[in-house]
Amino acid sequence: VEWHLQNVNIALFRMCCNLFFSLQEHSIETPHGVLHVTLHGTRTTRRPAILTFHDVGLDSKSCFSPLFKFEEMQEIVKNFTLIHVDAPGQEEGAAAYPAGYQYPSMDTVAEMIPAVLQFFNFRTVIGVGVGAGAYVLSKFSIANPDSVEGLVLINIDTNARGWIDWAAQKLSSVTSSLTEQIVSHLFSQEELSSNTDLVQSHRERISKASNLVNIELFWKTYNSRRDLNIDRNSSFKCPVMLVVGDQAPYEDAAVSFCYSLKKCKMLLNLPAKLTEAFKYFIQGMGYMASSCMTRLSRSRTTSLSSSYSMDGSRSRSRTLSQGSQGGQMPPSPSQTMEVSC
């Protein structure tokens, strides 16, 4: 009997946890079409929600589940409502669009987000975007500065495709399948060469997707994006943290973007330590002041720091934090951080 009661208590506890941190799926009508949105956690409006937007070839689940299920991220999950937005037609199991369907532009997709905030009655959000999602959230933030308290932009490329890029893309579309084009967008050449299990799983998932037509439309729309035209005199009104993987396809673009901002923090080559960096970022906005920090050094205040390998030689991995003066400090040793998205 005691064993039975113990199991019942455990079951009730798990049920309460599932209800408290349940996933609620919604189809939200916007002026430009329907968005699939997943709400995670309690719908409290005392703090800004964390709103995520995924990259091409991914959906909110495949892009952000590993990050927000990470053990050390649970402190954030328990303190904030998570709003995961899927780009039109990109959610898992979405019906394929008919032939001739006009997919919304990147600008139009960004204009769909205010309806999501209104639906859940959130005044402000902290945006977390990857690749195409980072571009969309940037556009949204520029158009709605009072609605965004902070941005975490991962592997962002703010520039439109130039003629050389356009020609290379056209050639790639002839010589490579859609799946290979997108996989090359998501992973570095080093990762593609090593052909890890992660690369293979994404390749298989994309190639077998029932909404592959929709993915192709989103891919073409992203490649038709315009320049963000961000400069020091016309910058974001909120703090921005840039994250890029070392040797990622868009590393140079992200670094250039960092220097175009008045004030940003940039992290290269991050894994689980993105969680700690994210906590610091949130603390900088006045939230989670009592959160325990254990992984990152609290003394990272230089404008530009470079990490070194164990033998003392300089490596490509580095951590950038650009201050408002835009000056550069001499490189100093710091820990290497990595992230996988």
Side-chain angles (χ1 to χ4, degrees):
V1 174
E2 182 179 352
W3 174 84
H4 177 72
L5 289 176
Q6 184 177 7
N7 282 348
V8 170
N9 289 335
I10 293 174
L12 287 173
F13 175 78
R14 289 177 176 172
M15 182 177 68
C16 290
C17 288
N18 289 333
L19 288 173
F20 189 74
F21 297 110
S22 61
L23 297 176
Q24 304 170 26
E25 297 188 46
H26 301 268
S27 294
I28 299 178
E29 292 281 351
T30 79
H32 305 290
V34 178
L35 280 180
H36 177 268
V37 178
T38 303
L39 186 77
H40 185 192
T42 56
R43 195 183 300 185
T44 173
T45 57
R46 292 178 298 174
R47 291 178 174 177
I50 294 176
L51 186 144
T52 71
F53 209 111
H54 60 88
D55 200 356
V56 175
L58 303 170
D59 53 33
S60 59
K61 181 179 179 181
S62 59
C63 188
F64 291 105
S65 286
L67 175 62
F68 287 101
K69 285 183 178 179
F70 181 61
E71 182 180 356
E72 294 185 15
M73 184 63 82
Q74 297 314 300
E75 184 178 11
I76 291 176
V77 173
K78 293 176 183 178
N79 282 279
F80 289 87
T81 301
L82 305 180
I83 301 176
H84 300 296
V85 180
D86 288 299
Q90 305 303 303
E91 67 271 18
E92 186 178 15
Y97 288 129
Y101 177 82
Q102 184 63 45
Y103 199 85
S105 67
M106 299 297 286
D107 289 14
T108 301
V109 173
E111 292 170 1
M112 300 169 80
I113 296 179
V116 176
L117 272 66
Q118 185 177 7
F119 182 87
F120 293 117
N121 196 30
F122 275 96
R123 187 180 61 84
T124 60
V125 297
I126 298 170
V128 181
V130 180
Y135 181 94
V136 168
L137 291 184
S138 296
K139 297 290 291 187
F140 167 67
S141 179
I142 293 168
N144 304 271
D146 294 335
S147 297
V148 183
E149 292 197 31
L151 282 176
V152 178
L153 306 176
I154 303 171
N155 288 343
I156 187 171
D157 187 351
T158 62
N159 301 320
R161 291 261 171 173
W163 284 107
I164 296 178
D165 293 327
W166 179 84
Q169 180 61 39
K170 284 294 183 182
L171 179 62
S172 176
S173 64
V174 174
T175 59
S176 303
S177 66
L178 173 65
T179 299
E180 291 307 314
Q181 293 174 51
I182 295 176
V183 169
S184 296
H185 162 75
L186 296 174
F187 297 97
S188 68
Q189 287 302 314
E190 182 180 357
E191 291 170 314
L192 292 174
S193 298
S194 59
N195 198 27
T196 62
D197 291 341
L198 181 63
V199 173
Q200 293 183 44
S201 66
H202 278 291
R203 180 181 285 119
E204 183 177 358
R205 181 184 53 78
I206 294 170
S207 63
K208 295 182 179 180
S210 60
N211 60 337
L212 188 59
V213 171
N214 304 359
I215 295 174
E216 182 175 14
L217 290 173
F218 188 30
W219 175 237
K220 289 181 177 179
T221 298
Y222 176 62
N223 286 325
S224 301
R225 66 190 180 277
R226 299 185 298 174
D227 285 339
L228 275 180
N229 292 323
I230 294 293
D231 57 44
R232 291 179 180 272
N233 297 319
S234 175
S235 188
F236 295 107
K237 306 301 181 184
C238 63
V240 178
M241 183 170 76
L242 298 182
V243 181
V244 63
D246 190 34
Q247 300 183 8
Y250 302 105
E251 179 181 344
D252 291 340
V255 173
S256 265
F257 181 42
C258 185
Y259 285 121
S260 71
L261 300 176
K262 282 186 176 180
K263 187 176 183 180
C264 80
K265 293 182 179 179
M266 183 166 187
L267 305 173
L268 281 78
N269 196 32
L270 296 144
K273 293 185 179 178
L274 171 61
T275 302
E276 194 92 358
F278 192 22
K279 288 181 181 179
Y280 275 116
F281 185 68
I282 289 176
Q283 280 190 335
M285 288 180 280
Y287 302 107
M288 294 179 61
S290 61
S291 176
C292 295
M293 302 299 175
T294 58
R295 291 185 176 272
L296 299 184
S297 169
R298 291 173 170 77
S299 61
R300 292 190 181 163
T301 57
T302 58
S303 296
L304 177 63
S305 61
S306 300
S307 64
Y308 289 75
S309 60
M310 293 301 291
D311 61 2
S313 61
R314 184 173 179 176
S315 67
R316 293 185 68 246
S317 307
R318 55 192 185 272
T319 301
L320 300 181
S321 176
Q322 179 177 333
S324 57
Q325 291 83 3
Q328 297 184 7
M329 297 292 290
S332 60
S334 65
Q335 292 177 323
T336 301
M337 298 185 292
E338 301 175 356
V339 68
S340 176
C341 294

